[in-house]
Amino acid sequence: MKVVLKVFRFNPENEDKPKYEKYELDLREDAVLLDALNEIKWKIDGTLSYRRSCRHGICGSCAVKLNGKNVLACKTPLKKAIEDFGEELVVEPLSNKKEKIIKDLVIDKKDFWDKNHKVKPFLIAEIDEHPKTENLIKPEEVEALEEADYCIACGCCYYACESLRENKEFLGPQALAKTYRFSADKRDNAKKERLSLVDSLGIGVWDCVKCQACIEVCPKGVDPFTKITHLHNQIFEEGIAKKNVATKHAEGFVHSIKKHGILDEGMLVLYSEGVNVIRHLPEAFSMFAKGKIKFPWNMPKSDQLEEIQKLVEISQTHELKD
Ligand code: SF4
Ligand code: SF4
Ligand code: FES
């Protein structure tokens, strides 16, 4: 199989700017992207740098960007990649910010690892240091983790996250999925401490912008976004949620649905932001003019309001703290 790879090359030690090198390869039909990188390194240009170890989607080290999508090189069949992206395959590091490049496809992942460490990615429990048997949990308790324990810390989700582009402090999808992996584990004794950390504005679950890029790129099916929504619920269920613009926004949804059976966009902003709503007045006027939000006395109600109110009543489990 003929394959043309355009590979990002940059050695900050002796080059001013990156360039792309083109390599024409002849590979087996079942070759994966890592085979192509190995072919270049072993037979064409030994100076190419990239990370790899297991070749089986276990170690998470070979993550790169292929035509703009974060992938594991060892789990990406080239035949399928050509079908998806066309003849020209462009391989880049997960982040091509100049200050992050160590060499070629190898980046400095310190920011990623710092956030992973911040959420204490290990079981916190009183356990016998010399147990006679394993510390087992029931199958249904394992199911509650919903594959969060499959994460191999490859960073594909982290470097695709839209929220992180704007907010460098945000913990990001991997660290939040990791938090859920332990907050959902029956054996862990630090659930409240973990939830309090990710409840913080600026770094935590309320700063996810719900773009779902983390679901799309995760090679292990971890689905960090859904874990983030579970953390939202756990924060309310454990009585940790404090009154702030994010939790008031979540409550505003419930308030509006309870009252109308449908979402009242205008009141939702007022409910979440209180007097600060004044800064949104220009947008509010333009939305009123276009009929996107309604005055309270014009707000329609759902035909099934009573049924919806009963559902809200039985599913609501929390009060916000001051
Ligand atoms: S859904 Fe949230 S955590 Fe996932 S990539 Fe988007 S902003 Fe980041
Ligand atoms: S959640 Fe998925 S994409 Fe993110 S680091 Fe873990 S395995 Fe990689
Ligand atoms: S080399 Fe280990 S995940 Fe690809």
Side-chain angles (χ1 to χ4, degrees):
M1 176 175 61
K2 302 276 183 215
V3 183
V4 180
L5 236 57
K6 246 174 92 178
V7 184
F8 178 97
R9 303 295 310 265
F10 183 39
N11 184 352
E13 279 187 12
N14 54 29
E15 290 170 338
D16 292 334
K17 54 180 193 211
K19 59 181 181 298
Y20 288 83
E21 293 275 2
K22 215 175 209 183
Y23 302 94
E24 291 181 16
L25 309 168
D26 194 2
L27 298 163
R28 287 167 45 137
E29 290 281 310
D30 59 357
V32 292
L33 178 57
L34 184 60
D35 295 326
L37 295 174
N38 288 340
E39 181 83 358
I40 297 170
K41 184 161 183 82
W42 294 339
K43 297 193 183 152
I44 304 173
D45 183 351
T47 67
L48 175 65
S49 297
Y50 52 98
R51 288 193 177 107
R52 71 189 192 283
S53 181
C54 70
R55 203 201 179 275
H56 289 290
I58 305 292
C59 71
S61 62
C62 68
V64 288
K65 205 182 274 293
L66 177 64
N67 290 52
K69 186 179 178 198
N70 296 352
V71 297
L72 285 185
C74 70
K75 297 296 280 181
T76 305
L78 285 171
K79 207 165 174 197
K80 175 83 174 48
I82 292 168
E83 276 167 34
D84 290 349
F85 301 119
E87 297 280 298
E88 191 168 86
L89 299 180
V90 183
V91 189
E92 296 169 301
L94 286 179
S95 164
N96 57 11
K97 285 201 186 107
K98 221 169 158 184
E99 67 278 10
K100 292 203 77 61
I101 310 292
I102 295 176
K103 188 167 174 292
D104 302 332
L105 303 175
V106 179
I107 61 163
D108 178 359
K109 286 169 79 177
K110 185 176 184 304
D111 53 339
F112 171 83
W113 289 116
D114 283 351
K115 288 173 186 174
N116 177 64
H117 294 154
K118 209 170 196 167
V119 302
K120 299 191 181 162
F122 42 81
L123 196 74
I124 298 176
E126 295 285 324
I127 47 173
D128 184 353
E129 286 182 17
H130 306 288
K132 293 199 173 53
T133 59
E134 287 174 83
N135 190 10
L136 296 177
I137 55 175
K138 295 182 191 140
E140 58 272 25
E141 290 168 351
V142 177
E143 270 168 32
L145 306 183
E146 293 184 10
E147 271 100 61
D149 51 332
Y150 288 8
C151 173
I152 55 171
C154 64
C156 283
C157 59
Y158 183 86
Y159 293 101
C161 175
E162 291 296 336
S163 183
L164 271 161
R165 266 183 232 279
E166 296 303 319
N167 173 10
K168 303 287 167 239
E169 302 307 313
F170 180 48
L171 286 165
Q174 186 271 344
L176 293 172
K178 191 64 82 180
T179 304
Y180 176 78
R181 184 258 168 268
F182 291 102
S183 70
D185 191 321
K186 286 273 167 206
R187 299 165 297 179
D188 192 72
N189 290 338
K191 185 170 182 177
K192 288 204 170 178
E193 186 192 327
R194 295 182 193 284
L195 294 176
S196 298
L197 173 71
V198 301
D199 183 38
S200 315
L201 288 184
I203 65 163
V205 287
W206 309 109
D207 296 274
C208 162
V209 296
K210 306 180 173 66
C211 69
Q212 306 198 8
C214 52
I215 306 179
E216 204 186 314
V217 298
C218 177
K220 303 302 279 187
V222 170
D223 183 353
F225 171 66
T226 301
K227 308 301 176 287
I228 291 171
T229 61
H230 290 340
L231 288 170
H232 289 156
N233 291 339
Q234 288 182 343
I235 286 169
F236 281 114
E237 283 158 11
E238 292 291 320
I240 286 166
K242 296 181 204 75
K243 269 193 183 131
N244 60 41
V245 64
T247 53
K248 291 278 291 171
H249 190 77
E251 262 217 344
F253 263 84
V254 181
H255 184 76
S256 170
I257 298 295
K258 230 168 151 177
K259 197 163 168 198
H260 307 289
I262 47 180
L263 192 59
D264 179 351
E265 302 269 5
M267 286 310 285
L268 179 63
V269 181
L270 180 62
Y271 197 91
S272 323
E273 304 228 5
V275 287
N276 288 331
V277 77
I278 210 143
R279 63 193 166 144
H280 297 298
L281 279 182
E283 293 94 334
F285 283 128
S286 129
M287 286 173 84
F288 270 125
K290 291 186 177 139
K292 296 210 169 174
I293 49 178
K294 309 226 175 279
F295 287 106
W297 53 89
N298 276 345
M299 188 63 203
K301 290 198 192 298
S302 164
D303 298 344
Q304 286 157 341
L305 183 58
E306 252 180 60
E307 203 175 324
I308 292 170
Q309 284 172 335
K310 276 186 213 149
L311 284 171
V312 173
E313 218 43 62
I314 52 175
S315 59
Q316 212 171 4
T317 55
H318 67 275
E319 292 279 318
L320 284 182
K321 279 183 180 173
D322 281 314

